[in-house]
Amino acid sequence: DQQVKQNSPSLSVQEGRISILNCDYTNSMFDYFLWYKKYPAEGPTFLISISSIKDKNEDGRFTVFLNKSAKHLSLHIVPSQPGDSAVYFCAASGGSNYKLTFGKGTLLTVNP
Amino acid sequence: GAVVSQHPSRVICKSGTSVKIECRSLDFQATTMFWYRQFPKQSLMLMATSNEGSKATYEQGVEKDKFLINHASLTLSTLTVTSAHPEDSSFYICSATELGYEQYFGPGTRLTVT
């Protein structure tokens, strides 16, 4: 049973527009959420995170929104740039062991 | 900051041999390191969690005798794939954390078993 779901395997947007990547989770024990960006044959790069005590966290062009009641989070990238094209993974954690549970990823393509 | 290296980046080995992959945190002391495996177009699957000086904790379904993990210091963890078979061919990624949830990932190791 997948505890972290990214239902859109791919997303295509125009340069300059907003990219919205979505993630749903089922485990109520998750209290920390992270987004990672990954290029092929490379390790993931940490982008931004959010604790369950917040509903929004912003860092430059990246904003993560958390809706605890819906068990849903989203990553907004604005404005989108061609260099943002990559696979984006949503990850969740809960408890003291710091283990992360990853979604399957969404391939974002930003077209010039 | 928060740089994690992995070595080698690529390795090809014959079936039945063992391969060691190193993971190092270069600019911080990693209290915990994690080993993941990724199949093509799939998510990262956690294999095991290792803490310095103690035995690794393996996820369900991961053979601990096949995937030996040693976390000898706060900056180094190794994964040894013993008696490798073609089905062990995969992309192996390590991550490290100092204190907290943010894990910093290495660049990965592509293992091909012929």
Side-chain angles (χ1 to χ4, degrees), chain A residues 26-92:
Chain A
T26 58
N27 190 336
S28 302
M29 299 302 292
F30 289 146
D31 59 6
Y32 201 81
F33 305 89
L34 307 90
W35 284 94
Y36 285 86
K37 175 181 179 180
K38 186 181 182 301
Y39 295 111
E42 291 185 12
T45 302
F46 170 72
L47 274 178
I48 193 168
S49 62
I50 188 166
S51 163
S52 61
I53 63 173
K54 292 187 170 184
D55 54 20
K56 177 183 175 181
N57 189 24
E58 194 171 351
D59 184 1
R61 296 187 298 115
F62 302 94
T63 303
V64 56
F65 295 91
L66 175 63
N67 183 333
K68 289 187 291 293
S69 60
K71 293 191 176 69
H72 176 84
L73 62 153
S74 60
L75 174 68
H76 293 211
I77 306 172
V78 56
S80 301
Q81 299 172 354
D84 296 329
S85 298
V87 176
Y88 289 77
F89 286 97
C90 169

Side-chain angles (χ1 to χ4, degrees), chain B residues 12-80:
Chain B
I12 301 173
C13 70
K14 291 186 184 298
S15 188
T17 61
S18 295
V19 174
K20 180 186 281 189
I21 303 169
E22 289 188 352
C23 177
R24 293 181 186 271
S25 57
L26 298 185
D27 53 1
F28 67 101
Q29 293 191 318
T31 54
T32 306
M33 286 183 166
F34 302 86
W35 286 95
Y36 294 82
R37 184 173 178 176
Q38 186 183 27
F39 292 102
K41 298 186 180 179
Q42 294 292 317
S43 183
L44 285 81
M45 300 301 297
L46 179 65
M47 298 174 66
T49 304
S50 77
N51 294 291
E52 183 259 343
S54 60
K55 287 186 179 180
T57 302
Y58 290 81
E59 295 299 299
Q60 193 172 14
V62 177
E63 298 176 59
K64 62 180 180 180
D65 294 330
K66 180 167 188 60
F67 298 101
L68 301 178
I69 291 172
N70 185 286
H71 194 156
S73 75
L74 283 171
T75 58
L76 173 65
S77 177
T78 59
L79 168 68
T80 302

